[in-house]
Amino acid sequence: MTALLNWTKRRAGPLIVFAILLLLWEFGVKLFGIKEYLLPPPSKVWVEFLKRAPAVMDAAYVTSRQLLAGYLLSIVVSVPLALVVARSRFVEQSIYPVVVFLQIIPKIAIAPLFIIWLGFGFAPKVIIVFLLCFFPIVVASVAGFKSVDPEIADFARTTGASEWKLFRTIQLPQALPDIFTGLKVGAALSATAAIVAEFVAADRGLGYLLLQYNGQFETAMVFAIIIILSVIGLAVYYAVELIERLAIPWHVSQRPAGVTGA
Amino acid sequence: MHNGVDKIGSSVDIAGVAHVFRRGDMVTHAIEHVDLTIAAGEFVAIVGPSGCGKSTLLRIVAGLLRNSAGNVKVAGRDVTGPQTEIGIVFQSPVLLDWRNVLDNVLVQLELRGLDPAKYRDEALRLLGKVGLGDFTDRMPRELSGGMRQRCAIVRGLIHDPPLLLMDEPFGALDALTREQMRIDLEKLWLDRRHTTLFVTHGISEAVALADRVIVMTPRPGKIDRIIDIDLPRPRNKEIIASAKFSEYCEEITECFMRRGVIQY
Ligand SMILES: Nc1ncnc2c1ncn2[C@@H]1O[C@H](COP(=O)(O)OP(=O)(O)OP(=O)(O)O)[C@@H](O)[C@H]1O
Ligand SMILES: [Mg+2]
């Protein structure tokens, strides 16, 4: 209960600002007589959304599934890859530069290729999300796995502990703050990635719906979908942040308030 | 547990050891031709100007750095890799940020595959002795630099190693704590008789603690003089204040003056 109260207190500022913006939007639109197909007021967005809620929520489910699958895949691939890069000079000098180079290729530009290769279904979208989230997680995790203080490493070597034990006791905990930074960047990108994947080619999902409504000048529905997408993105981001709080409380609490308290 | 009779420290033999750091074209002769034999259970202090290779020598003895030339033996065995029968305390307190003070001490035992629970009481006792009794469940970031260093010292000792390597362990401490830590370290040593190699900048600290003081030259570091400190133990207030004590300090200061390390 106090936790909830604290949470509300900490976020009271942004929430109030948000509410004021909504009110300005609502009355601004009416005051200046802006046409609804250009900028519908929030109330209209809400009403329209309620009318088509089932269809939209179905699409949201489709998109979330792709987003989560792609994001989880990027974690499962990136973190172990980062560990290998951090531990092996050979991999760092031979494979890692290639990964970095491939990163330069605009992934959105190659998205259509995946449609050719993999068709219209679930897989190409997952891969596009994966590609976009992958790199920030790798880079941050490599930095994390390499961040063990040389003197800590020296001390640890005098204990004769096995590599596995050193990894568990020192290298992994040391890397977690950086890994989580990467995971949060990835989470923030994942919603964008999911929608872009659906723009390229899809017959369902929020991206598909958004293009449909846009084509029919149903601007209120476009706004509704943008908002839902943002909510999905935020939910993923805060889920990661919550896990971070549980996993590395020693680190989270030493950051100045506000850095994470958005 | 420690009565100094059943336990014996490790001897250390350093013969013709030199070390050269190379990075590209940059070549640093850190130490040159160091010969030193340390008997089991002996307390040896090394003093020398900054950058003369004291830390380098210590790391070579620990097997953390491969010497460019010469040979090192610990307890009669050639040092070819990291030594595990040692306790080490570095110049800076390197603690694990995610563990509290007690767990930072106990990590020494966890990594060694020993049962930390068995050492808990001893860890708490030692932490109490170094003035961290009320801070055992604090995180490193909640401690001052000196407190962190004291925690690192206890971590270096907790497993009762036969060889203790200390690199300016009291460097980050205030004068008062430093004095107390010196007294406690001597007590502990009298109790356990682990061979100790103790690097310091403090001339009187070296004289107060050591059986022998090794005075090093500026870089490239060589042994300038070895001074036997023939003072009774424990080195109490009277001994520290004695004329003989000052003479030893004087002697070391003169070594440094001769080399231009100290100028008036
Ligand atoms: N990793 C390294 N690479 C290159 N040079 C090094 C390295 N470590 C130390 N040196 C050089 O070796 C010399 C000796 O360094 P060392 O750290 O052993 O000195 P020190 O006697 O411990 O000094 P201080 O009292 O300031 O701690 C210095 O000149 C230093 O620049
Ligand atoms: Mg040093």
Side-chain angles (χ1 to χ4, degrees):
Chain A
M1 199 53 218
T2 44
L4 191 69
L5 210 70
N6 278 339
W7 188 89
T8 322
K9 249 190 218 153
R10 247 187 303 134
R11 281 162 177 76
L15 284 176
I16 290 171
V17 173
F18 202 67
I20 291 175
L21 283 177
L22 275 181
L23 285 175
L24 282 179
W25 176 6
E26 179 79 34
F27 292 107
V29 167
K30 294 204 169 121
L31 201 68
F32 297 110
I34 298 173
K35 291 194 178 65
E36 265 185 11
Y37 75 88
L38 292 177
L39 186 64
S43 56
K44 165 93 174 165
V45 172
W46 179 242
V47 170
E48 288 293 313
F49 165 69
L50 286 185
K51 273 195 246 167
R52 326 238 181 118
V56 174
M57 290 324 271
D58 267 355
Y61 171 72
V62 169
T63 304
S64 310
R65 231 165 50 115
Q66 291 163 356
L67 181 158
L68 282 180
Y71 180 54
L72 291 179
L73 181 66
S74 70
I75 297 174
V76 170
V77 174
S78 303
V79 176
L81 176 67
L83 180 63
V84 176
V85 170
R87 299 198 72 128
S88 153
R89 266 195 101 78
F90 172 76
V91 173
E92 189 185 4
Q93 288 174 351
S94 59
I95 297 179
Y96 195 42
V98 179
V99 172
V100 174
F101 174 75
L102 289 179
Q103 180 57 24
I104 313 289
I105 302 174
K107 281 154 298 290
I108 293 164
I110 54 171
L113 277 178
F114 290 105
I115 310 297
I116 298 179
W117 293 334
L118 299 166
F120 281 74
F122 182 64
K125 279 114 195 161
V126 171
I127 294 203
I128 290 165
V129 175
F130 162 77
L131 284 177
L132 272 154
C133 300
F134 165 80
F135 196 63
I137 303 179
V138 174
V139 173
S141 305
V142 169
F145 284 126
K146 290 181 120 186
S147 68
V148 175
D149 181 294
E151 290 200 329
I152 294 215
D154 278 347
F155 152 70
R157 288 202 289 155
T158 69
T159 62
S162 66
E163 281 294 314
W164 166 238
K165 202 173 211 171
L166 292 179
F167 172 72
R168 244 184 337 142
T169 327
I170 293 171
Q171 196 179 20
L172 182 62
Q174 183 78 64
L176 281 179
D178 286 319
I179 294 178
F180 272 105
T181 303
L183 292 186
K184 287 193 282 185
V185 176
L189 281 173
S190 63
T192 313
I195 207 79
V196 164
E198 288 176 352
F199 278 176
V200 174
D203 46 13
R204 52 213 212 111
L206 289 175
Y208 166 77
L209 269 193
L210 190 131
L211 288 182
Q212 294 279 305
Y213 289 131
N214 212 40
Q216 297 156 9
F217 287 95
E218 293 211 45
T219 317
M221 283 315 290
V222 173
F223 273 96
I225 286 173
I226 291 173
I227 291 167
I228 288 181
L229 257 178
S230 313
V231 169
I232 294 173
L234 275 181
V236 176
Y237 184 89
Y238 279 112
V240 174
E241 204 184 77
L242 180 70
I243 297 171
E244 182 189 32
R245 270 173 201 284
L246 298 175
I248 48 172
W250 54 273
H251 186 260
V252 173
S253 56
Q254 83 181 23
R255 277 194 302 243
V259 175
T260 53
Chain B
M1 192 168 161
H2 323 285
N3 47 29
V5 181
D6 57 343
K7 280 204 88 84
I8 192 150
S10 306
S11 61
V12 179
D13 298 287
I14 302 169
V17 165
H19 195 75
V20 184
F21 286 106
R22 282 176 211 282
R23 218 190 60 207
D25 294 340
M26 302 231 300
V27 176
T28 311
H29 292 265
I31 51 173
E32 265 177 8
H33 207 88
V34 173
D35 289 303
L36 178 64
T37 302
I38 304 173
E42 195 179 7
F43 198 123
V44 169
I46 300 183
V47 291
S50 179
C52 76
K54 304 180 295 294
S55 300
T56 304
L57 183 62
L58 211 72
R59 286 164 51 78
I60 289 173
V61 173
L64 294 169
L65 187 67
R66 197 86 190 88
N67 40 314
S68 318
N71 189 269
V72 183
K73 281 192 169 106
V74 169
R77 282 188 300 273
D78 282 327
V79 172
T80 52
Q83 297 296 295
T84 57
E85 298 289 291
I86 64 172
I88 194 159
V89 181
F90 293 103
Q91 237 168 313
S92 56
V94 281
L95 301 180
L96 305 176
D97 293 334
W98 55 93
R99 283 172 171 250
N100 67 25
V101 167
L102 178 62
D103 288 339
N104 257 293
V105 171
L106 295 180
V107 75
Q108 175 79 266
L109 308 150
E110 278 171 48
L111 289 174
R112 287 170 184 276
L114 301 168
D115 180 8
K118 283 201 188 124
Y119 288 81
R120 221 186 113 88
D121 290 341
E122 176 70 356
L124 290 172
R125 191 184 72 81
L126 288 171
L127 285 170
K129 262 199 116 40
V130 301
L132 291 176
D134 294 335
F135 294 87
T136 55
D137 55 359
R138 298 296 181 86
M139 303 304 272
R141 77 187 119 82
E142 298 174 278
L143 305 180
S144 72
M147 291 162 100
R148 268 181 242 153
Q149 185 63 8
R150 281 178 268 159
C151 175
I153 291 169
V154 175
R155 181 184 66 189
L157 295 166
I158 181 71
H159 55 305
D160 197 8
L163 174 59
L164 188 55
L165 304 174
M166 303 181 101
D167 193 352
E168 287 178 47
F170 304 159
L173 304 182
D174 62 284
L176 286 174
T177 314
R178 195 170 176 141
E179 185 91 358
Q180 188 59 52
M181 294 289 292
R182 196 204 74 227
I183 294 163
D184 291 338
L185 180 64
E186 188 191 34
K187 268 197 208 131
L188 198 77
W189 175 78
L190 286 170
D191 202 19
R192 297 183 177 182
R193 293 287 176 168
H194 36 47
T195 312
T196 305
L197 191 53
F198 184 95
V199 171
T200 177
H201 280 146
I203 293 174
S204 63
E205 189 169 84
V207 174
L209 278 167
D211 296 325
R212 278 192 296 160
V213 176
I214 315 295
V215 184
M216 290 187 68
T217 67
R219 189 170 53 82
K222 291 180 286 288
I223 293 179
D224 188 358
R225 296 239 1 230
I226 298 182
I227 299 170
D228 285 297
I229 308 297
D230 188 14
L231 294 170
R233 290 187 190 269
R235 308 254 166 94
N236 55 30
K237 208 160 93 264
E238 288 71 38
I239 295 170
I240 305 281
S242 68
K244 211 167 162 196
F245 185 91
S246 315
E247 273 164 34
Y248 283 127
C249 294
E250 193 71 15
E251 204 177 333
I252 296 170
T253 308
E254 258 153 33
C255 288
F256 287 142
M257 287 176 67
R258 219 175 36 242
R259 300 269 175 190
V261 176
I262 301 177
Q263 289 168 356
Y264 283 97

